[in-house]
Amino acid sequence: MYNLIRAELFKLRKDRSFRVLLLITAVLSLAYPLLYYMDNKSGGKPQFTGAEFLVKFMFSNGYVIKFSIAALAGFFIASEYTTGAMKIIASSGNDRGRLYAAKLVGFSAGVMLISLIFPLLSMAEVSILSGFGQLPEGVDPFFIPRVLGLTLLYTAGYAAIGVLFTAVFTESGKTISFLMIFFLMIDMVLGGLGEYIPFLTTVYNYSVFKLLGDIGKIQLDSGELPVLLLVPLLTIGVAGLLGILVYRKKEIK
Amino acid sequence: MSEYVLQTNQLSKRFKGSVALDKVNLSIRKGSIYGFIGQNGAGKSTLMRIVTGLAFPSDGTIELFGASAERELTQARKRMGLIIEGPSLFPHMTASENLEVNRLLRGIPGRDCVSRMLELVGLQGTGRKKVKNFSLGMKQRLGLAIAMLSDPEFLILDEPTNGLDPMSVIEMRELLKRLNQERGLTILISSHILSELHLLASHYGIIHHGKLLEQLTAQELHDKCQHYVHIKADHPDRAAMVIQSVLGTSDFEVMPDGVIKLYGYREQPGKVSSALFSAGLTIEEFMPMGEDLESYYMKRIGGGGDV
């Protein structure tokens, strides 16, 4: 298993789409706060501090996570089916369950890295420009590590869903378009259907789709943190097992 | 220990509305080079894909190195190298990076096997060149290097000479022969170039419309191929009459170009030539010939087609 993960990480390191995504995310993460900085300066408005910026704009990272998972799933994993590389992987004499798990780990590691770029880089840039400042009144002192930890966990949860659908579609174009639409529409779909089927509202409220928006909450009520921790872990488990089932039954073309 | 590396038992594969493999019983003896012959869509690749675990049978079983249970089969596949429907490569990586990924996938210790394999297939000088910029022949050679990386006992090669130039075809053939002789490597190979297979294979399997029509050794093929005397005379009609009347046989064919194929007299060419001379005929061409794999195959499947 260790070797399989090493192989996946090696591929990830060499993957051009991964490098491009890293670069684009880094550039955007630097440009976004810079535009705010210049706008506020010319308008004479007070500048954000690094801490304030993180608290206020953490939710934007959700889009980065969703977009990078869709793009990387298509370019990094699904392209292995298209180029035929998956044939040599599937026939390497390794159990398909292990191959899938290793792929999930490698892929998750990649998108987890991307998911940290925006919060860390933009916070660092704003801190250089206007100082780190202090977290707003009433904010939990563990806010930053908690937010970053939950970002990693939710990214892994989304990644598990991404890899599952990649195993179903196996084509780059289909995978990217489906995942983009799925991640952008799922809130609306579950929310809308929940009006007619109340059970779906409960499902939505306890899903990574809804809770991703809650990880940047300044104050968590008692009982919220365990839910925030359990839901992505369960998502990884369920999506991972489903993915293994799909991949085991998949004929590789 | 079984003397067979691979055996299939009533192996069938059905797709929606079509049968790709129909109760195939194939046996590949250890140390043999098994030439797998069939038209496009005959079922060669499907069988190879099932053996390598890329596809699943609808019915029947396979036994690989004596293993037939799913978990054992997965383990047995570690002893196998393959090129199926073209080499499986990572186009954005270099040759050595492709080998490195496969080394990690197969858990092979030490990196020296990477350079050894590059040398084996003559790609040691490719450096930082990405595989996407390789010629088809270079990709095929890299595919073979990957297949050989884990020092396999059984090699499955689906059209490995596709896209290779004539020199590379010869090099590939010599390499496979050497690996077979020196390491006792068993090879299952399919190729459209039957003359090439003829120079390589020790055993043959002919598959047509999903059915394995025949399995035979190279010696059996040689014995089965019809032998004849190729005759070109100045008057083919008269020559045919002489053969019929003097030699008393009608087991011959007059071809459209006037060449006569006389069967059954390959061991007595003198008798034939003196009969024709005595009749005052001038012989322009006279040589003993044998059918090759291609004509045997065409006869066996009962007609033309794209091999």
Side-chain angles (χ1 to χ4, degrees):
Chain A
M1 188 67 190
Y2 172 64
N3 273 322
L4 297 180
I5 294 173
R6 275 180 69 200
E8 288 302 322
L9 293 177
F10 181 85
K11 282 190 284 175
L12 184 72
R13 236 174 45 228
K14 299 286 170 189
D15 190 70
R16 208 171 60 172
S17 57
F18 175 62
R19 291 181 190 182
V20 170
L21 266 174
L22 277 179
L23 188 70
I24 290 174
T25 315
V27 169
L28 291 177
S29 304
L30 291 173
Y32 194 50
L34 197 63
L35 289 173
Y36 262 98
Y37 178 80
M38 283 161 35
D39 195 34
N40 288 349
K41 198 172 181 183
S42 60
K45 292 180 202 161
Q47 296 290 356
F48 286 111
T49 62
E52 283 169 347
F53 192 86
L54 183 69
V55 172
K56 195 164 170 58
F57 292 99
M58 192 56 215
F59 74 93
S60 309
N61 200 30
Y63 294 107
V64 176
I65 293 170
K66 290 171 186 175
F67 173 78
S68 49
I69 286 173
L72 203 60
F75 292 121
F76 176 60
I77 307 180
S79 70
E80 289 186 347
Y81 289 94
T82 320
T83 58
M86 191 56 86
K87 285 188 281 189
I88 206 91
I89 297 171
S91 58
S92 60
N94 290 294
D95 176 71
R96 288 232 188 155
R98 282 165 178 253
L99 286 171
Y100 185 89
K103 194 157 287 299
L104 179 57
V105 171
F107 178 76
S108 301
V111 278
M112 281 158 96
L113 183 62
I114 294 172
S115 75
L116 288 183
I117 290 179
F118 177 70
L120 290 181
L121 217 56
S122 57
M123 185 175 66
E125 188 188 22
V126 176
S127 300
I128 291 167
L129 292 171
S130 335
F132 179 74
Q134 282 188 324
L135 287 169
E137 191 83 3
V139 174
D140 178 0
F142 293 107
F143 176 77
I144 293 178
R146 189 195 78 203
V147 161
L148 296 181
L150 286 174
T151 298
L152 291 177
L153 199 55
Y154 275 76
T155 305
Y158 268 79
I161 296 169
V163 180
L164 166 64
F165 284 116
T166 313
V168 173
F169 291 113
T170 69
E171 275 179 39
S172 299
K174 272 187 196 168
T175 305
I176 295 171
S177 357
F178 176 83
L179 284 176
M180 288 279 197
I181 294 168
F182 178 78
F183 286 149
L184 293 176
M185 303 288 285
I186 188 71
D187 300 79
M188 215 191 307
V189 172
L190 285 177
L193 288 175
E195 287 182 19
Y196 304 100
I197 312 163
F199 171 70
L200 287 181
T201 306
T202 315
V203 170
Y204 177 60
N205 287 338
Y206 290 95
S207 70
V208 285
F209 311 118
K210 163 79 168 41
L211 296 176
L212 177 68
D214 291 351
I215 63 175
K217 270 171 96 173
I218 291 170
Q219 283 282 334
L220 293 179
D221 298 333
S222 64
E224 268 191 304
L225 188 62
V227 172
L228 278 174
L229 288 171
L230 267 177
V231 168
L233 288 174
L234 279 173
T235 306
I236 295 168
V238 173
L241 285 175
L242 281 174
I244 287 172
L245 282 177
V246 171
Y247 189 60
R248 273 188 197 281
K249 299 279 171 204
K250 194 98 199 160
E251 298 211 341
I252 314 288
K253 295 196 173 98
Chain B
M1 281 285 277
S2 167
E3 59 179 312
Y4 294 102
V5 167
L6 172 69
Q7 283 183 293
T8 69
N9 180 30
Q10 300 287 96
L11 192 69
S12 299
K13 177 72 178 175
R14 288 180 291 275
F15 295 109
K16 281 175 199 159
S18 69
V19 179
L21 288 177
D22 191 6
K23 294 175 184 163
V24 171
N25 294 313
L26 172 141
S27 308
I28 299 181
R29 205 176 277 272
K30 197 176 280 179
S32 64
I33 300 180
Y34 190 101
F36 204 22
I37 310 164
Q39 287 173 272
N40 283 336
K44 305 185 298 286
S45 297
T46 304
L47 185 132
M48 288 175 164
R49 284 162 44 77
I50 291 174
V51 173
T52 52
L54 298 175
F56 310 108
S58 306
D59 276 312
T61 56
I62 63 170
E63 199 176 297
L64 185 65
F65 294 107
S68 53
E70 195 47 52
R71 194 177 285 262
E72 292 172 351
L73 271 174
T74 303
Q75 283 301 313
R77 288 188 180 112
K78 285 199 163 132
R79 298 161 69 180
M80 207 171 72
L82 64 131
I83 301 180
I84 299 282
E85 294 158 337
S88 308
L89 307 169
F90 296 96
H92 55 276
M93 290 188 199
T94 64
S96 65
E97 286 167 353
N98 264 279
L99 285 162
E100 177 64 8
V101 171
N102 282 281
R103 183 186 78 79
L104 292 169
L105 269 174
R106 291 182 175 260
I108 303 164
R111 291 205 59 198
D112 23 323
C113 59
V114 170
S115 45
R116 218 174 47 238
M117 284 304 122
L118 284 174
E119 220 164 290
L120 181 78
V121 296
L123 290 176
Q124 66 273 36
T126 52
R128 299 188 61 79
K129 189 174 180 176
K130 305 266 191 241
V131 164
K132 65 181 177 191
N133 299 321
F134 277 20
S135 68
L136 191 54
M138 287 165 84
K139 287 180 184 168
Q140 289 283 25
R141 282 190 279 155
L142 180 57
L144 184 65
I146 291 171
M148 288 301 301
L149 190 65
S150 58
D151 205 5
E153 295 160 61
F154 182 32
L155 211 51
I156 295 187
L157 305 172
D158 190 9
E159 307 288 349
T161 50
N162 259 3
L164 293 186
D165 58 65
M167 199 60 209
S168 304
V169 171
I170 295 168
E171 280 171 13
M172 173 81 86
R173 185 210 311 150
E174 293 308 316
L175 177 63
L176 293 176
K177 267 186 177 172
R178 206 175 73 224
L179 291 169
N180 171 258
Q181 282 158 10
E182 290 174 5
R183 303 191 193 182
L185 188 69
T186 309
I187 303 171
L188 166 62
I189 180 170
S190 76
S191 174
H192 282 86
I193 312 169
L194 296 188
S195 55
E196 198 47 51
L197 269 190
H198 206 170
L199 293 170
L200 187 65
S202 60
H203 294 70
Y204 299 94
I206 298 175
I207 189 165
H208 190 55
H209 291 159
K211 284 184 193 292
L212 188 66
L213 298 182
E214 188 175 14
Q215 293 191 101
L216 69 172
T217 64
Q219 185 57 50
E220 284 165 347
L221 174 74
H222 180 262
D223 295 343
K224 283 188 174 189
C225 282
Q226 273 192 305
H227 298 117
Y228 60 90
V229 182
H230 167 108
I231 304 161
K232 191 162 187 188
D234 51 352
H235 298 288
D237 297 344
R238 270 185 58 208
M241 279 168 54
V242 169
I243 289 169
Q244 205 160 15
S245 55
V246 177
L247 300 176
T249 177
S250 52
D251 191 11
F252 64 86
E253 285 178 275
V254 182
M255 309 309 286
D257 60 353
V259 168
I260 297 172
K261 284 184 174 181
L262 172 62
Y263 300 102
Y265 271 85
R266 200 165 179 266
E267 308 305 323
Q268 300 159 282
K271 210 170 170 180
V272 181
S273 57
S274 60
L276 295 171
F277 273 126
S278 308
L281 288 159
T282 306
I283 301 172
E284 292 162 3
E285 290 172 15
F286 188 92
M287 55 196 129
M289 302 276 274
E291 274 182 341
D292 58 3
L293 176 60
E294 195 169 300
S295 41
Y296 181 76
Y297 166 75
M298 297 303 276
K299 206 155 68 183
R300 195 66 186 79
I301 66 164
D306 177 20
V307 181

